[in-house]
Amino acid sequence: RAQVRAGNAMPFLQRSRQAPLARVSSRFLAAVAACACSLGLGGLCLAEPVSKSCQAAALGPKAGEEQLEALGRPVPRYMLKACNGDRCLALRRWKETLTWRCNIGDEEIVSRPNPMYFKIQPHYPTFLHLTDRSGRLTYWEIIGKMDPSALKNAGITVNDIRANYIWQTLFTWDVWLQRDDVQEGTVIVDLEGFRFSQVTLFVVQMFAKTSSIIQRHFPDRDHVLIVINAPEWWGRVYDLFSPLFPEKQRRKLRVSVGQQASMQTLREYIDPKNLPAEYGGSSGPLGSAPADAARRRSAAEGASPAARLKGARARAATGVGPLGLT
């Protein structure tokens, strides 16, 4: 997509795209050209900037930690934690993630509006809310109000949900938390009203595709997964979906059956002042938190650098994440 200033660069890019074994995106090829330009190889300089992820991916599989750090994309601590401290494995997985980020256009995704968010949200409601007792951002999925039939009737596909989920995840970690690689999240899943008949192939495929993204590219970022208002037949749902998650994540699961036990569990992890009133707390309702308001604004307008700075200041005021930009 980037425009090349010198004429001798375009044939190089065209030949690269035509290589039969090269399964790379135009963004990746543009990043290769940018790296060549930085090395003083004339004729490959780009008129438009290339994302940091693409620049890092263009360094190739032999890139070292120092090179990635120089580009502002060091191996994140959550990746190292997910690899149990194995730096070689963490580096390899991080380079795979950087290539994935380059191919999807991670910086471009969050910089432009996401109208699909507003189409999906009424039928699959999710929210960013206030912090837990340890200062972790909370993410809520109201599965009991998910309506698979309405999603399908609106023409929303599993891939649409996957793309929206990627956008939400990038907004949370890259925009709102400014790539803080130490922060974790507390996930709350509310199953009140959920029926076993809702477990359709569409739903299974939806959760399979979204969970695979998290496990591969955002591993070990959740501190705990709290399931509340679980029905008595919860075990059947767990047996169906548990293979989608590694053992390490399954050990983070906390399930409460019934409203009373669910409220006790929520209070154990979240101060009542940060719980929505509908969950026995005294904060505003889901959707009123600064993080969620910023997410809606970003979906409507895109996340400009000014919006990122505003988000950083709002986080500083609420005690979530660093103020500085990266």
Side-chain angles (χ1 to χ4, degrees):
R1 295 186 179 187
Q3 297 297 318
V4 181
R5 285 192 179 134
N8 64 334
M10 189 56 70
F12 166 78
L13 295 178
Q14 289 173 342
R15 287 196 300 272
S16 299
R17 291 192 184 101
Q18 292 166 359
L21 297 179
R23 299 181 63 188
V24 293
S25 71
S26 58
R27 294 185 182 92
F28 183 85
L29 292 166
V32 172
C35 285
C37 178
S38 68
L39 294 173
L41 302 180
L44 291 178
C45 298
L46 303 177
E48 296 180 7
V50 176
S51 74
K52 293 274 188 78
S53 295
C54 284
Q55 291 178 49
L59 293 173
K62 294 184 179 181
E65 289 189 53
E66 298 82 4
Q67 292 172 288
L68 296 179
E69 188 169 356
L71 281 174
R73 291 296 179 266
V75 177
R77 280 169 281 190
Y78 66 81
M79 188 68 78
L80 189 61
K81 179 182 175 184
C83 295
N84 298 313
D86 186 331
R87 299 200 73 88
C88 291
L89 177 58
L91 177 60
R92 178 170 62 81
R93 288 192 59 180
W94 179 233
K95 286 188 286 191
E96 291 172 355
T97 290
L98 287 169
T99 299
W100 172 79
R101 278 176 165 266
C102 174
N103 286 333
I104 65 170
D106 56 349
E107 294 179 17
E108 181 184 351
I109 284 175
V110 294
S111 68
R112 65 176 183 242
N114 177 30
M116 186 58 68
Y117 165 82
F118 297 103
K119 295 180 181 179
I120 293 174
Q121 182 72 2
H123 312 303
Y124 179 11
T126 64
F127 302 94
L128 296 173
H129 202 59
L130 303 179
T131 59
D132 67 9
R133 291 185 182 274
S134 298
R136 302 180 189 91
L137 188 68
T138 58
Y139 170 74
W140 298 65
E141 288 201 1
I142 316 302
I143 301 297
K145 294 184 179 179
M146 181 180 65
D147 190 339
S149 296
L151 288 168
K152 294 179 73 175
N153 291 338
I156 297 168
T157 67
V158 169
N159 284 334
D160 290 331
I161 293 172
R162 176 181 179 274
N164 183 63
Y165 192 80
I166 290 173
W167 176 85
Q168 289 194 66
T169 305
L170 290 173
F171 171 83
T172 300
W173 299 116
D174 290 9
V175 177
W176 184 252
L177 292 175
Q178 292 295 301
R179 297 182 178 273
D180 182 352
D181 65 353
V182 175
Q183 281 281 346
E184 296 177 324
T186 290
V187 180
I188 299 98
V189 176
D190 187 355
L191 291 180
E192 184 176 9
F194 186 72
R195 302 180 304 277
F196 193 74
S197 60
Q198 291 176 269
V199 186
T200 62
L201 178 60
F202 179 87
V203 171
V204 172
Q205 289 176 334
M206 180 181 75
F207 284 118
K209 287 203 171 189
T210 54
S211 66
S212 67
I213 294 166
I214 293 299
Q215 301 312 316
R216 182 173 297 179
H217 302 299
F218 302 90
D220 228 8
R221 301 229 66 176
D222 51 334
H223 175 70
V224 64
L225 173 59
I226 303 170
V227 178
I228 59 174
N229 297 314
E232 295 290 343
W233 43 265
W234 155 256
R236 285 188 286 169
V237 176
Y238 178 79
D239 291 341
L240 183 63
F241 289 103
S242 61
L244 300 176
F245 304 95
E247 176 61 28
K248 190 174 183 180
Q249 190 168 24
R250 292 200 293 270
R251 290 198 297 267
K252 298 179 180 181
L253 186 64
R254 179 76 184 270
V255 181
S256 296
V257 177
Q259 188 175 46
Q260 183 175 355
S262 297
M263 296 304 103
Q264 290 176 347
T265 301
L266 286 175
R267 281 185 166 83
E268 178 183 341
Y269 287 94
I270 306 172
D271 191 295
K273 70 180 182 181
N274 282 356
L275 277 173
E278 59 263 43
Y279 291 93
S282 56
S283 81
L286 290 174
S288 65
D292 208 71
R295 188 175 67 160
R296 290 194 304 274
R297 186 166 55 250
S298 183
E301 304 170 2
S304 65
R308 296 187 183 207
L309 179 58
K310 186 176 181 180
R313 288 172 175 159
R315 282 193 315 283
T318 56
V320 182
L323 174 60
L325 298 179
T326 58

